Amino acid sequence: MSLRTALLFAASLLCARAGAGEIPPSERRSGYDLMSRETRAMQDDDATNPGMLWVLDGETLWNRKAGAADRACSDCHGDARESMKAVAARYPAFDAALGRPVNLEQRINMCRSKRQKAPPLAFESRELLALAAYVARQSRGLPINITIDARTRPFLEAGREAFFRRQGQLNLACAQCHDDHWSGKLAGSPITQAHPTGYPLYRLEWQGLGSLERRLRGCLTGVRAESYPYGAPELVNLELYLMWRANGMRMETPAVRP
Amino acid sequence: MARAVVTVPARATRGEIVEVKTLAQHPMETGFRRTQTGELIPRDIIRRFTCTYNGTEVYRVELHPAMSANPLIAFSTIAAETGTLAFQWVGDNGYSVTETASISVE
Amino acid sequence: MGTTRREFLILAAISLAVPEAARAQLDPNLAANRKAAFQEALRRIVGDAQVRRGRVKLRLPPLIDNGNSVPLAVAVESPMTQADHVRAIHVLTEKNPLPDVVSVRLGPRAGRATLATRVRLADTQSVTAIAQMSDGSFWSDSAEVVVTLSACLEEGLI
């Protein structure tokens, strides 16, 4: 970061509101609302939203037979526009066999290995992102809907604890940026309230599509904290907390972010 | 897999100017970036895009590394007659993708 | 949370101060070299012809979210007839590693002389669009863009 950007960033943070604590529902904002008009337009028009390239790949994969079972997702689930409607809006969801919540990518991979008898897809691989984007696209415009019960509560609390815990060499908590300084900017990017409304999403910095876990790992590295491997329970707990915290907000997949 | 997405109106009146939007899946690697160990990542870009309308070229683009990844190219053309718009992207390392869209003109 | 604002600012600023070292290694003559490259690219396109201001409208957002993908639109005033149309549109930058961004060949069949795309901008700089008309004349427009987060921050400079 140049000195100029550092100054810009410091100046913009000085305008940010002070205070601490969770954001009241009436003040919740999607990252969408804090982006430039141009980036919003890029997300809004399917003809120019590059995330649609992955959604279309996902549709192809949805209908393609795979694995020893030689079954396609569509062989069991039919038309995704019906069967996958609002599904992504309830993930991470509790898996009884594992006894813990799993995110959407993990859920898809469970069908890959158990139902298709195919090797699981690597996290952040083009195929897994495409399938997740296609499934989550069927929730676009629908409200995030995480229900917490006795089985999931401990995981939610662990996620909440991680969000408020200071960590890394910089000794910063997620909440310090995302609850207390969300209207500020860091190196030109709006900090945002960290609502995971649009994942997987197309990030201009990545020049490609990425998952929520990739985003979280980026923020962890940003505070020089230890990052967890993809699929680690620590990350899924954070995802669960973030999705629960965004309950009622509309899904935007595939969103676009700076 | 979806190597490109093109958006063209399905129908138009003769002589109407219609909007064409295209996205191609490509990293557009500039050739100026380095890996973490300092090696230069070789250039890998789309060099040329063409749109032909029933065989006649209507729009041609020469791309350079400064074009964004997954390049968007949007332009207009006159709906001359019913037929096919054919799109082609050609680039480094033998990259070549074609896509078509039909338009019905009254 | 128990962090003072001042403390927070310093910590957060550190968390982003990455490519400073990379920038320092850049050739000190870089600015001059890139200006020369721009002039050369311009000469290659227009030859000895005069380039006039006008007829071309270049639209870029004045402040952008990320230099990796800056929306850019060019529209050239022209009847787009067989006798009088735009033959080519070129876009050049002053501070990217290469001045050329994109060149378009078109004709009356386009109906309108426009291009909408997304480009990479390495720095705050001026961008120029040049149109060549069917009579051989050249017209241009320029726009200034403020880039706060330049292209490819994660991996270094483009």
Side-chain angles (χ1 to χ4, degrees), chain A residues 1-5 8-10 13-14 16-18 20 35-36 38-39 42 48 50 164 166 170 172-173 176-177 180-181 186-189 204-207 214 222 224 258, chain C residues 1-5 7-9 11-20 23 60-66 68-69 71 118 120 123-124 146-149 151-155:
Chain A
M1 184 169 64
S2 67
L3 182 62
R4 180 175 42 80
T5 32
L8 254 172
F9 143 70
L13 268 190
L14 287 173
R17 74 195 185 95
M35 317 191 295
S36 70
E38 291 77 21
T39 313
M42 188 166 165
T48 66
F164 286 96
R166 284 163 166 260
L170 300 187
L172 278 171
Q176 280 174 280
C177 282
D180 302 346
H181 293 282
L186 220 51
S189 284
L204 305 185
E205 189 185 333
W206 295 335
Q207 309 189 62
R214 179 168 180 196
R224 308 277 193 275
Chain C
M1 294 260 80
T3 328
T4 64
R5 168 169 306 277
E7 194 192 339
F8 173 81
L9 286 175
L11 290 175
I14 292 168
S15 81
L16 287 152
V18 189
E20 197 72 57
R23 200 172 279 262
L60 283 156
L63 234 157
I64 55 107
D65 280 339
N66 187 301
N68 280 338
S69 186
R118 297 192 276 248
R120 292 172 168 141
D123 208 340
T124 293
V146 176
V147 178
T148 49
L149 189 63
C152 313
L153 185 76
E154 249 177 12
E155 290 90 352

Side-chain angles (χ1 to χ4, degrees), chain B residues 5-26:
Chain B
V5 180
V6 301
T7 311
V8 177
R11 62 198 92 249
T13 50
R14 191 175 306 276
E16 186 186 341
I17 299 175
V18 294
E19 298 297 325
V20 178
K21 291 176 182 172
T22 70
L23 281 173
Q25 200 160 68
H26 201 288

Side-chain angles (χ1 to χ4, degrees), chain C:
Chain C
M1 294 260 80
T3 328
T4 64
R5 168 169 306 277
R6 194 187 146 71
E7 194 192 339
F8 173 81
L9 286 175
I10 294 167
L11 290 175
I14 292 168
S15 81
L16 287 152
V18 189
E20 197 72 57
R23 200 172 279 262
Q25 286 166 9
L26 287 177
D27 181 352
N29 297 323
L30 194 71
N33 290 346
R34 289 195 174 165
K35 213 175 179 86
F38 176 86
Q39 289 305 332
E40 198 187 308
L42 186 66
R43 244 196 325 277
R44 219 172 39 240
I45 292 166
V46 307
D48 296 328
Q50 188 200 349
V51 182
R52 278 172 281 184
R53 293 241 142 210
R55 295 186 67 173
V56 180
K57 280 246 162 354
L58 169 64
R59 273 195 300 122
L60 283 156
L63 234 157
I64 55 107
D65 280 339
N66 187 301
N68 280 338
S69 186
V70 182
L72 175 152
V74 186
V76 188
E77 262 172 58
S78 164
M80 292 305 271
T81 58
Q82 218 31 270
D84 181 3
H85 57 263
V86 177
R87 220 188 271 164
I89 300 172
H90 307 272
V91 178
L92 300 177
T93 59
E94 267 180 355
K95 291 191 186 166
N96 274 5
L98 291 175
D100 302 274
V101 177
V102 61
S103 290
V104 174
R105 307 265 156 205
L106 70 173
R109 287 288 299 265
R112 265 197 290 267
T114 61
L115 164 70
T117 185
R118 297 192 276 248
V119 303
R120 292 172 168 141
L121 294 178
D123 208 340
T124 293
Q125 59 178 311
S126 135
V127 180
T128 302
I130 300 162
Q132 182 183 19
M133 308 297 176
S134 50
D135 66 3
S137 65
F138 289 95
W139 299 79
S140 81
D141 188 20
S142 297
E144 298 290 327
V145 193
V146 176
V147 178
T148 49
L149 189 63
S150 67
C152 313
L153 185 76
E154 249 177 12
E155 290 90 352
L157 303 166
I158 63 165

